[in-house]
Amino acid sequence: MQEMVNIYVYGKKYSVPGDLTIMTAMEYAGYQLKRGCGCRHGFCGACATIYRIKGKNELKTCLACQTQVEDGMYIASLPFYPIDKRTYDIEEISAEQRVMMDLYPEIYSCVGCNACTKGCPQDLNVMQYIAYAQRGDFKKCAEESFDCIGCGICASRCPAGISHPMVGELARRLNGKYIAPKSEHVKNRVAEINEGKFDDLIEKVMNKPIEEMQELYNNREIEK
């Protein structure tokens, strides 16, 4: 028999199998998830969750699709966190330190509490890439924030009101547009696509049965 554990979803008690993730446990309990779910594999950042274990004072954050339920777990999901994204035209800004001061001046109010890093389900050094952004080192900021999935947990814990995912995204865009060396083989391939070199091949793939397309995808060659 499956080991059952007691969890509390939005304050209501449910008994669920102990080997389920928070997301599948909510569905087991009867919830139909229309928000706060997506890839189910820790890549989309849609299922940010806050929980606390009964009898413990520590408030924890996680992704519901990756975290196994525990007995006495009190759960509250964050299907959307209102991150503050500033509007800009990448063609009209430059990779200078001033751009962060203009668009995200709140990063200079960081108090170094490291709550953003502690909350990150991807184990990113969030406070460090904010420090790189403060110094205008957009290349290092882009590298350090590369695996960010934009769940917003870091922003929800920040006393300075920083929207960390948006800062990292701006740094990655600046790095890709102005700092990183241009990739000639990508440029050439885009030109070939625009010339219609692959139109027939794409048409053939689109007309294949879904089962055959799945087989091609599952057995594709992947560069290491």
Side-chain angles (χ1 to χ4, degrees):
M1 292 181 63
Q2 289 181 306
E3 180 186 358
M4 306 296 285
V5 297
N6 293 322
I7 64 171
Y8 300 82
V9 181
Y10 304 117
K12 188 174 180 180
K13 182 179 177 180
Y14 297 94
S15 182
V16 301
D19 59 351
L20 298 181
T21 63
I22 291 174
M23 183 176 288
T24 52
M26 290 178 68
E27 292 176 321
Y28 178 92
Y31 288 87
Q32 185 179 7
L33 302 179
K34 295 184 177 181
R35 295 289 185 274
C37 60
C39 70
R40 295 175 176 265
H41 286 88
F43 289 103
C44 74
C47 60
T49 301
I50 298 174
Y51 72 92
R52 174 176 275 143
I53 305 301
K54 187 175 183 178
K56 298 182 180 179
N57 66 345
E58 184 180 2
L59 191 65
K60 297 186 177 182
T61 53
C62 68
L63 296 179
C65 66
Q66 290 184 315
T67 307
Q68 188 173 343
V69 292
E70 298 179 45
D71 191 50
M73 179 182 276
Y74 283 80
I75 299 165
S77 62
L78 291 173
F80 170 76
Y81 188 81
I83 292 175
D84 187 11
K85 180 180 180 180
R86 311 292 159 78
T87 302
Y88 53 86
D89 186 337
I90 194 66
E91 301 291 344
E92 295 181 0
I93 60 176
S94 60
E96 299 177 357
Q97 184 176 2
R98 179 73 195 180
V99 70
M100 285 293 176
M101 177 64 78
D102 291 340
L103 292 171
Y104 295 103
E106 63 273 15
I107 68 173
Y108 297 97
S109 298
C110 174
V111 297
C113 66
N114 211 30
C116 51
T117 302
K118 293 175 182 176
C120 180
Q122 297 292 90
D123 295 325
L124 301 183
N125 193 343
V126 183
M127 191 175 76
Q128 181 61 66
Y129 80 66
I130 293 299
Y132 287 139
Q134 291 172 335
R135 298 199 291 266
D137 193 340
F138 302 129
K139 183 177 185 296
K140 287 185 178 180
C141 181
E143 292 171 352
E144 197 73 40
S145 68
F146 186 79
D147 290 322
C148 173
I149 56 177
C151 66
I153 289 175
C154 53
S156 72
R157 306 298 295 272
C158 180
I162 299 170
S163 293
H164 312 73
M166 295 298 99
V167 174
E169 183 177 275
L170 175 57
R172 294 192 297 276
R173 287 175 171 172
L174 290 170
N175 183 59
K177 177 72 174 175
Y178 299 111
I179 301 172
K182 303 301 179 185
S183 177
E184 287 300 319
H185 69 281
V186 173
K187 180 181 177 181
N188 295 336
R189 181 51 56 92
V190 170
E192 290 175 345
I193 292 171
N194 290 333
E195 291 167 4
K197 183 176 180 179
F198 300 99
D199 288 356
D200 291 340
L201 179 60
I202 292 172
E203 190 69 28
K204 288 179 182 178
V205 172
M206 289 174 63
N207 290 326
K208 289 181 181 294
I210 188 68
E211 294 80 9
E212 190 174 342
M213 291 178 67
Q214 289 174 340
E215 186 68 21
L216 287 170
Y217 179 82
N218 291 332
N219 294 288
R220 69 195 186 282
E221 292 185 11
I222 302 176
E223 293 183 7
K224 301 294 185 182

